Amino acid sequence: DDAKIDPDEILFEGCDYNHWLITMEFPDPKPSREEMIETYLQTLAKVVGSYEEAKKRMYALSTTTYVGFQAVMTEEMSEKFRGEMM
């Protein structure tokens, strides 16, 4: 009895395609934590329309465990981060 995954089955409880993790890379030497956070906000602002909106939508970030941030946005907005957006 092979367990097949139904294409409509929710694999990750709570996955709503509105909460996104955006990872970034910085060249060495790495900027300061403050500079990285500022870069995250400026990058998100380009997608969501304003710096103030970016501050509202970003709910987590890291400069150590991972380099990037988590923000609330639509799937369409998240697509803008793929490839060479900036």
Side-chain angles (χ1 to χ4, degrees), residues 9-76:
E9 187 176 341
I10 295 173
L11 298 179
F12 302 103
E13 198 58 46
C15 183
D16 60 6
Y17 296 100
N18 286 318
H19 294 77
W20 296 89
L21 167 62
I22 306 299
T23 57
M24 301 184 78
E25 291 181 14
F26 291 95
D28 286 323
K30 298 263 186 283
S32 71
R33 176 178 166 79
E34 290 73 25
E35 289 169 326
M36 291 167 102
I37 294 168
E38 182 63 21
T39 300
Y40 300 164
L41 285 165
Q42 295 287 354
T43 301
L44 183 57
K46 290 178 187 175
V47 171
V48 299
S50 75
Y51 192 82
E52 289 306 310
E53 188 65 19
K55 287 202 285 190
K56 286 186 215 166
R57 289 173 176 262
M58 192 177 297
Y59 62 89
L61 61 87
S62 177
T63 59
T64 53
T65 310
Y66 61 91
V67 177
F69 60 89
Q70 295 176 56
V72 176
M73 68 187 96
T74 64
E75 189 169 4
E76 291 74 27

